[in-house]
Amino acid sequence: TVGLWALFTPTAMDRDVIFGKTPTSSFAITVTVGFFAFECSALLISDIVFKSANVLLNLHHWLSLVGYYLVLQTGANHLFACKGLTLEMSTPFSALCWTMLKCGKEKSWIWKANQFLLVHTFHCRSIVECYFWYVSYVHWDYIYTQMPTSVFYALYIQLPLVTFVMTPYWTYKKTIQMIEQKDWNFEDSAKDKSYNGSIKKST
């Protein structure tokens, strides 16, 4: 419900899909740049320390950081940027999933309920992405001629990647995870719990 309200409730951003903005959107963009700067830093340190890297996750975070920074600098594209934040609706459920895996609670009913909601949020991501393609189609002439070039490329490089690669892949992996309760960031989790960071003590 909140996601539908965020997408379809008309605001000043909807009246001008490129340069429309609100005080709330400006605040949200600023916070988001800080968030992705933190995420990219944490991800980089984690990859170095643990000598592993998730290509799609890195690509998603770094492209998002660049994209939101450009939005902040140019003041354009608040509509896509702010409504795009609804794509992160899966984050709390994904975090709880990871935490419960590490606590050995993957057989509990809370795990099952959380996984159901997690997969559902990934399906909802597709609704958001389709909405962006629709807005792009309706306003294409204006977007193509008036959107700042850097913002245009940042948006239309990431949107196809998210729509056709990232969301389908992550939806598939999270659906499989409902059946095979393991952290798919560590493919050897069934073999070596200590390696994938389990907090449970070995016996």
Side-chain angles (χ1 to χ4, degrees), residues 36-199:
F36 277 114
F38 168 78
E39 283 283 294
C40 289
S41 300
L43 196 58
L44 180 62
I45 293 171
S46 175
D47 289 346
I48 293 172
V49 171
F50 295 104
K51 297 181 175 62
S52 65
N54 185 309
V55 176
L56 278 184
L57 193 61
N58 272 282
L59 191 62
H60 165 60
H61 281 92
W62 287 101
L63 285 177
S64 295
L65 175 59
V66 171
Y68 277 96
Y69 175 76
L70 290 172
V71 170
L72 182 64
Q73 288 297 104
T74 62
N77 206 32
H78 278 222
L79 173 74
F80 287 93
C82 286
K83 296 193 177 189
L85 290 175
T86 58
L87 293 173
E88 297 298 320
M89 70 182 89
S90 61
T91 300
F93 304 102
S94 186
L96 182 58
C97 162
W98 185 87
T99 302
M100 294 184 71
L101 274 173
K102 300 308 174 186
C103 293
K105 300 297 183 182
E106 64 272 16
K107 300 295 183 181
S108 66
W109 68 268
I110 298 178
W111 157 271
K112 294 176 183 178
N114 183 70
Q115 284 302 110
F116 178 83
L117 292 171
L118 177 56
V119 172
H120 177 63
T121 60
F122 275 101
H123 291 153
C124 290
R125 283 173 61 104
S126 296
I127 297 174
V128 178
E129 291 151 8
C130 288
Y131 170 80
F132 286 159
W133 286 112
Y134 172 76
V135 172
S136 298
Y137 173 76
V138 172
H139 300 280
W140 181 250
D141 289 340
Y142 179 50
I143 290 172
Y144 186 74
T145 57
Q146 300 299 321
M147 184 176 285
T149 303
S150 59
V151 177
F152 179 89
Y153 282 114
L155 173 61
Y156 290 107
I157 286 174
Q158 187 161 3
L159 185 56
L161 281 172
V162 170
T163 305
F164 302 114
V165 179
M166 295 179 182
T167 295
Y169 176 74
W170 288 331
T171 303
Y172 163 74
K173 294 294 283 186
K174 287 300 181 182
T175 303
I176 293 297
Q177 193 179 48
M178 291 180 68
I179 303 168
E180 300 177 9
Q181 297 90 2
K182 68 177 183 178
D183 186 350
W184 51 268
N185 288 309
F186 300 90
E187 296 297 338
D188 71 337
S189 59
K191 300 177 183 177
D192 191 345
K193 287 288 186 181
S194 62
Y195 179 78
N196 75 13
S198 174
I199 64 171

